[in-house]
Amino acid sequence: KRMTKGDAEQTVRDDEPQGPLEAFADTMAAIFVEQQEMIVRGLQSIKSITLPLGSVTKEASDADIARLMAQLKDTYADEIEAAAEGLIEPVITEGWAAGLAEVDQFGLDVVNPFDVTNPDVADFLQANTVQLTQQIENYTERQLTDFIAQGLDQGLTTDQMARGLQDDVSNAGGVLSPARARTIARTESARAFSRGKLQSWKDVDQIERKKWRLAANACQYCKAIAKIVNAGGGTLLDDPFLPKGTVLTGTQGGSLSLDYEDILTDPLHPN
């Protein structure tokens, strides 16, 4: 299912570009379909082996699963990185421009204008692209490996697991679903936009600290992080609001494990 213009308008900020988000969501959804088909074929190919005296049944081993995951990563790494680059560069650039507009309101001078031809800026964009690519790949591998391992623990055959993936991708936690493609697009677009804004603030000598700004419909966890960091006057620009590994207690008593990365900017969690 393609992400419609209406979807994008409801899930991005007013000053974020919509084109790269939609293109990324569509591309990742198509890649997930192909990956699903590859996993199904891989599982079906494991189910039996042919010996001189005939065929015997063979179930997937840890080595079989590892080989299948490695093949999946090798096959699609370049496509995922290209999709990530198509999202990261324009959205970070737009975020930087939005941050610069805010800076201009206070009459502050930008000492290092953001220029994609600058080697330092190119390295910054590439690092963010590689990070997103690896995070997508690693999460996909983890979820599919767990799905297959749980199937084996439950006594399912590779045929049954393959059918499960074909019938309902949510059986693997939705890891290859169109919904995940849209979630990644929304979340990473927001993250890239905020990273661009943060970079614009770093380009101004007079700005030293950042605070967490709440949306009107902020969840209990966003309210909690705002309360923590803003009460102390904010956080230094280069420092995370909270480090990876933090378990954040929400304002309503909920618990959120921040195991994705250091929280340098919003979003705090997938949207």
Side-chain angles (χ1 to χ4, degrees):
K1 176 180 179 296
R2 289 180 61 87
M3 188 173 184
T4 66
K5 182 178 179 181
D7 292 330
E9 288 175 340
Q10 293 172 10
T11 56
V12 299
R13 306 164 192 259
D14 291 340
D15 47 358
E16 274 186 68
Q18 294 176 3
L21 185 152
E22 293 178 335
F24 178 81
D26 286 346
T27 300
M28 288 309 307
I31 289 174
F32 287 161
V33 169
E34 293 181 10
Q35 288 184 324
Q36 176 192 351
E37 293 171 350
M38 175 179 281
I39 293 296
V40 168
R41 290 194 303 269
L43 287 171
Q44 291 172 335
S45 70
I46 292 171
K47 70 177 182 178
S48 65
I49 55 176
T50 302
L51 299 175
L53 297 179
S55 296
V56 298
T57 299
K58 174 183 181 296
E59 295 307 326
S61 66
D62 289 343
D64 291 324
I65 297 172
R67 279 194 296 270
L68 190 53
M69 293 302 107
Q71 181 184 8
L72 191 74
K73 183 176 290 188
D74 290 344
T75 302
Y76 291 98
D78 290 344
E79 288 185 48
I80 293 174
E81 182 169 345
E85 183 178 7
L87 176 73
I88 292 295
E89 180 174 323
V91 178
I92 280 183
T93 303
E94 289 288 335
W96 183 88
L100 181 61
E102 294 176 347
V103 167
D104 283 344
Q105 294 177 10
F106 298 97
L108 302 178
D109 295 326
V110 176
V111 294
N112 295 305
F114 192 85
D115 180 359
V116 295
T117 64
N118 181 314
D120 290 339
V121 173
D123 289 344
F124 171 72
L125 294 172
Q126 178 62 18
N128 279 271
T129 297
V130 170
Q131 180 186 39
L132 174 54
T133 301
Q134 292 175 343
Q135 287 167 341
I136 292 172
E137 291 176 336
N138 292 341
Y139 183 80
T140 299
E141 178 179 354
R142 235 179 9 253
Q143 290 294 101
L144 288 174
T145 299
D146 289 348
F147 170 73
I148 296 171
Q150 290 170 9
L152 292 174
D153 289 343
Q154 294 168 10
L156 301 180
T157 66
T158 49
D159 257 350
Q160 288 173 318
M161 285 185 282
R163 286 197 298 272
L165 277 173
Q166 288 174 307
D167 294 341
D168 184 0
V169 179
S170 65
N171 282 344
V175 68
L176 299 178
S177 68
R180 183 186 173 219
R182 293 192 295 274
T183 296
I184 294 172
R186 291 193 301 265
T187 302
E188 298 306 329
S189 177
R191 195 187 316 280
F193 190 79
S194 294
R195 290 279 174 89
K197 272 194 170 186
L198 177 60
Q199 190 60 42
S200 75
W201 300 338
K202 291 180 180 180
D203 291 339
V204 178
D205 287 339
Q206 298 96 320
I207 299 178
E208 297 180 352
R209 305 181 76 85
K210 59 190 176 184
K211 289 187 175 182
W212 193 274
R213 186 167 61 184
L214 288 173
N217 59 344
C219 72
Q220 61 169 314
Y221 304 111
C222 290
K223 290 178 181 177
I225 191 174
K227 184 176 181 181
I228 291 169
V229 301
N230 294 350
T235 303
L236 293 174
L237 292 184
D238 284 325
D239 290 348
F241 285 111
L242 291 175
K244 179 180 178 180
T246 299
V247 178
L248 179 64
T249 300
T251 55
Q252 298 175 14
S255 180
L256 178 66
S257 296
L258 304 178
D259 53 6
Y260 185 67
E261 64 177 2
D262 289 341
I263 305 300
L264 291 167
T265 66
D266 64 325
L268 178 63
H269 48 73
N271 293 305

